[in-house]
């Protein structure tokens, strides 16, 4: 009994550490792939794929300056808060074709709330550094958070509602979504609706991650780095890592909701080790494809929106698009 | 550990202290697909707090002198200063002009001088390479 409890405690402590490491490694790796591919698309050679690791490595040996006018304890606490928020996001999302670490404890709604924590940490960081650039960046980040929330929530809730019609399990659980892949439940009209919802989710993703064309909060050229303008050294490295982890987590969430398929059952592989390896590779491929569509190509192809354009785009156009998707799925159920 | 990464991940902040824009355009040219500084991990950043290297162009005017000093202080250690162009190196046609506070090295310590009017992008890359070699030393002492 005691040994069991002890084992549980060890698993609970070691699990998140391992997941955090894996998330950081793959997040930074995808960031490197992103930079390399964007460079190729622009006709450049681009940095090697391991470049983000070198950046983090370098930031770790730099001096961490805390400005005199900043609120020191908030300024130092927010990078850690941001990192913790991103890592706890990973614990609730099914990764590598396996179940989530905390499966059964939290559902898609919890994930949606956790998604706001890194952004909120960034906002607090911006305000606490008391630089006018950072303050403007923080305000922009808040506007963005309010803007993309509706289409994001719409996609998740509509799918959970549709799955809830065919099962008694809690449909908001990501494990339920994996057990009842949404594409098999709907007719032709529903497929159209789902494609529209996938589209709106893919458009929400770069906004969520603060990538071009929605990187209004960081806006290198006008805001000189925006929220993070006063951060340097180790604190900046923590933000860098948590951004990488968050990108990985958000794209994994899209995979978990819309494409929860594994390759091994389809190919009929039952032995544990090859099946796990195959699923991990297939998961990484799915993450790459989604990242390629909604981050890499978009980043190379378009310029930055102004803050009012970005906000209007999400609040009006993308909300309308996701509602149209909802109507299609509703019609599919009624007819 | 830090030593190797420093050589391969320099973040650069660019400051114009009264330059005619010739050298600034050449710095941008070094980032374009033809020369592509990013393949060495060199990125132009928007904030001096993120920078490892301060690129200064122009013969420092009286108005810019205190600002140059302030921005230099904002760059976290270990840091490098590169002067791009003859104006920053010795004043060029503005030499001993009444509204200059002198070349860059009168105001902040300079590590690498890159002459030229304007500097060629190849020369800027060469200068950053020299900065790598110089950055190795203090970091090595600090780490070991």
């Amino acid at each position: 009994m005691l040994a069991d409890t002890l084992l549980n405690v060890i698993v609970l402590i070691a699990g998140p550490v391992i997941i955090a490491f894996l998330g950081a490694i793959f997040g930074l790796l995808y960031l490197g792939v992103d930079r390399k591919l964007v460079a190729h698309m622009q006709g450049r050679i681009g940095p090697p794929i391991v470049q983000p690791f070198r950046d983090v490595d370098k930031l770790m040996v730099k001096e961490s300056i805390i400005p005199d006018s900043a609120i020191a304890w908030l300024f130092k606490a927010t990078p850690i808060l941001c990192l913790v928020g991103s890592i706890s996001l990973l614990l609730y999302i099914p990764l590598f074709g396996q179940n989530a670490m905390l499966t059964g404890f939290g559902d898609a709604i919890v994930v949606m709330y956790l998604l706001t924590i890194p952004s909120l940490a960034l906002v607090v960081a911006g305000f606490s550094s008391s630089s006018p650039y950072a303050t403007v960046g923080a305000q922009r980040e808040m506007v963005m958070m309010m803007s993309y929330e509706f289409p994001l929530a719409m996609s998740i809730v509509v799918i959970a509602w549709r799955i809830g019609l065919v099962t008694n399990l809690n449909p908001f659980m990501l494990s339920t979504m994996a057990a009842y892949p949404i594409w098999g439940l709907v007719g032709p009209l529903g497929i159209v609706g789902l494609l529209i919802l996938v589209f709106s989710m893919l458009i929400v993703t770069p906004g969520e991650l603060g990538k071009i064309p929605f990187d209004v909060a960081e806006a290198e050229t006008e805001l000189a780095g925006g929220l993070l303008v006063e951060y340097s050294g180790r604190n900046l490295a923590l933000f860098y890592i948590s951004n990488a982890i968050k990108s990985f987590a958000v794209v994994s969430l899209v995979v978990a909701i819309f494409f929860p398929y594994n390759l091994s059952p389809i190919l009929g592989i039952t032995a544990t080790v090859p099946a796990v390896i195959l699923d991990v590779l297939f998961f990484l491929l799915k993450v790459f494809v989604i990242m390629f569509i909604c981050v890499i190509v978009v980043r190379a192809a378009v310029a930055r929106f102004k803050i009012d354009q970005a906000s209007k785009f999400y609040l009006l156009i993308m909300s309308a698009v996701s509602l149209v998707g909802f109507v299609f799925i509703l019609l599919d159920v009624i007819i | 550990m830090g030593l190797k990464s420093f050589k391969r991940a320099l973040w650069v902040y660019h400051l114009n202290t009264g330059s005619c824009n010739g050298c600034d355009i050449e710095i941008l040219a070094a980032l374009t697909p033809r020369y592509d500084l990013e393949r060495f991990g060199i990125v132009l950043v928007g904030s001096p707090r993120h920078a490892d290297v301060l690129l200064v162009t122009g013969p420092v005017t009286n108005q810019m002198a205190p600002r140059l000093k302030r921005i230099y202080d904002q760059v976290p250690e270990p840091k490098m200063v590169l002067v791009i162009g003859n104006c920053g190196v010795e004043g060029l046609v503005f030499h001993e002009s009444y509204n200059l506070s002198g070349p860059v090295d009168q105001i902040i310590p300079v590590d690498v001088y890159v002459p030229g009017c304007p500097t060629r992008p190849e020369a800027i890359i060469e200068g950053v390479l020299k900065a790598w070699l110089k950055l190795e030393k203090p970091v090595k002492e600090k780490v070991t």
Side-chain angles (χ1 to χ4, degrees), chain A residues 3 72 105 149 169 216 225 244 283 315:
Chain A
F105 287 97
E149 210 63 33
L169 294 168
V216 278
F283 171 80
L315 271 178

Coordinates of all heavy atoms in Angstrom, one line a residue, chain A residues 3 72 105 149 169 216 225 244 283 315:
Chain A
A3 N 4.1 1.3 -0.6 CA 4.9 1.3 -1.8 C 4.2 1.8 -3.0 O 4.7 2.6 -3.8 CB 5.4 -0.1 -2.0
A72 N 10.1 44.4 -9.5 CA 11.1 43.4 -9.6 C 10.5 42.0 -9.5 O 10.7 41.1 -10.3 CB 12.2 43.6 -8.7
F105 N -8.8 13.8 -15.8 CA -8.9 14.8 -14.8 C -9.3 16.1 -15.3 O -9.9 16.9 -14.6 CB -7.5 15.0 -14.1 CG -7.1 13.9 -13.2 CD1 -6.3 12.9 -13.6 CD2 -7.6 13.9 -11.9 CE1 -6.0 11.8 -12.8 CE2 -7.3 12.8 -11.1 CZ -6.5 11.8 -11.5
E149 N -10.9 34.2 -28.9 CA -11.6 33.2 -28.0 C -12.9 32.6 -28.6 O -13.1 31.4 -28.4 CB -11.9 33.9 -26.7 CG -11.9 33.0 -25.5 CD -10.5 32.4 -25.2 OE1 -9.5 33.1 -25.5 OE2 -10.5 31.3 -24.7
L169 N -20.5 9.0 -22.6 CA -19.3 9.5 -21.9 C -19.2 11.1 -22.0 O -19.9 11.7 -22.8 CB -18.0 9.0 -22.7 CG -17.8 7.5 -22.6 CD1 -16.7 7.1 -23.6 CD2 -17.4 7.1 -21.2
V216 N 0.9 41.0 -33.5 CA 0.8 42.5 -33.2 C 1.4 42.8 -31.9 O 1.8 43.9 -31.6 CB -0.7 42.9 -33.3 CG1 -1.1 43.2 -34.7 CG2 -1.6 42.0 -32.7
G225 N 9.9 44.7 -30.2 CA 9.8 43.5 -29.4 C 8.7 43.5 -28.4 O 8.4 42.5 -27.7
A244 N 7.9 28.1 -27.3 CA 8.1 26.8 -28.1 C 7.1 25.7 -27.6 O 6.5 25.0 -28.4 CB 9.5 26.4 -28.1
F283 N 2.3 10.8 -35.1 CA 1.9 12.1 -34.4 C 2.8 13.2 -34.8 O 2.3 14.3 -35.1 CB 1.9 11.8 -32.9 CG 1.7 13.0 -32.1 CD1 0.5 13.5 -31.9 CD2 2.8 13.7 -31.5 CE1 0.3 14.7 -31.1 CE2 2.7 14.9 -30.8 CZ 1.4 15.3 -30.6
L315 N -13.0 38.7 -34.6 CA -14.3 38.9 -33.9 C -15.5 38.8 -34.9 O -16.5 38.3 -34.6 CB -14.4 40.3 -33.3 CG -13.9 40.3 -31.8 CD1 -13.9 41.7 -31.3 CD2 -14.7 39.4 -31.0

